[in-house]
Amino acid sequence: MGSSAKKRKDKKKDFQKPKLKVGKARPKPNNFTDTNFNSKALVLKQQFTLTSLSSEKELLAHHVSLLTSRNEAMREDAVRHITLHTCSTPIDSPLPLSANFLLPHLIPLLSATNPRIWNHLLQLFPRLLHKDLEDHVEKIGLHLRCSITSLSTDIQSSSLELMDWMLLTDGEALVSCPGGWMKNLKVLMGIQGWRLVPITSEWTSDGTSFGRSIAHRKNLVKGLKTLTALLWAGFYDPPVGAHNPTSCWPLAHTDQHMISKKANPFGHLNLWGPPRDEDSQMYEGREERQRIFQKRIRKRLESEAAMYKKAGGDAGREANILLNAITEGMKDFNE
């Protein structure tokens, strides 16, 4: 074979289709380069030893910086150290770092999927003063709503416990923040399977037991308790004492002319934020919350709670308490 015939034969190979056989991989070209390789990287944040830290404040600040680490074990160790330090500090003594510095780093952990981190958070948050939480209630509520809808029963149970604590300590701040009333109501109704728009179907169920695990059914009962506590916080009418403006003239209504102690006193005006829908609005007054509850939620909530009441059991008892809370909170409402 001459050189010209050999060249023609080599060129013809480039245009021939490979014969494919069943069960065998496609043949690789001659110029194939294997790019399948695994690379391992060890990422470490700046570490300090105990001897290099001159004060307890620096040690605590170091662990706070580790809360944003990519390593979950490192985040767990950091929040464990902060919890132990906070719980060991006397209540009357101030922390080395202010709560306004700690909370922006702790709040994102409310979306964590590690139950051990949640155990530390449940011990840590009650040690913080509720006045320090007022400026962060909106962000705390946002992360709590995400955790309440978690598929993990442990995470869902822990998030419900933390919301119960917030409603007990300062429920007014939680229901008055943007989305704190409508969104929390819809999330707590959602974990029960209750929807504002009913689904038309021939088959119905109370939803308390069918296809549910024991832990899930316990969370449903716990969710009903949290929903009842949220309604009491929203319908609570603080007592107003008798006040005669002329008795303290010229200092009448002085508190209305003082500088507000809130971080964002004009937040309800939403001057710089994106437009809010009906669910994201701030319902600061009791009458406002009653009005939107009557308009969108009451009828559906009472019908679903009545089904739970008929089913009986723990869920039925909590549903009965829920119905009593609705009746008591809306008895003075006039449309």
Side-chain angles (χ1 to χ4, degrees), residues 235-274:
F235 296 149
Y236 175 70
D237 189 13
V240 180
H243 176 66
N244 185 9
T246 59
S247 61
C248 54
W249 189 89
L251 301 179
H253 308 298
T254 307
D255 55 336
Q256 299 180 12
H257 302 281
M258 299 292 290
I259 298 177
S260 176
K261 296 181 180 180
K262 294 183 179 179
N264 188 14
F266 301 103
H268 62 284
L269 299 178
N270 194 28
L271 297 175
W272 313 112

Side-chain angles (χ1 to χ4, degrees), residues 7 73 91 108 139 164 192 203 246 252 262 297 299-300 325:
K7 291 180 180 178
I91 299 178
K139 291 184 179 180
D164 285 337
Q192 305 291 337
W203 180 83
T246 59
K262 294 183 179 179
I297 293 181
K299 183 177 180 180
R300 183 63 179 170

Side-chain angles (χ1 to χ4, degrees), residues 86-97:
T86 305
C87 294
S88 61
T89 304
I91 299 178
D92 299 335
S93 302
L95 296 174
L97 297 175

Side-chain angles (χ1 to χ4, degrees), residues 56-68 82 95-108 128 132-133 135-136:
E56 188 177 3
K57 182 177 181 180
E58 291 184 4
L59 178 60
L60 188 60
H62 166 61
H63 283 89
V64 171
S65 67
L66 295 179
L67 294 176
T68 57
I82 296 172
L95 296 174
L97 297 175
S98 65
N100 288 328
F101 177 79
L102 291 174
L103 284 172
H105 297 85
L106 292 172
I107 289 175
L128 301 176
D132 297 327
L133 300 175
D135 298 335
H136 306 275

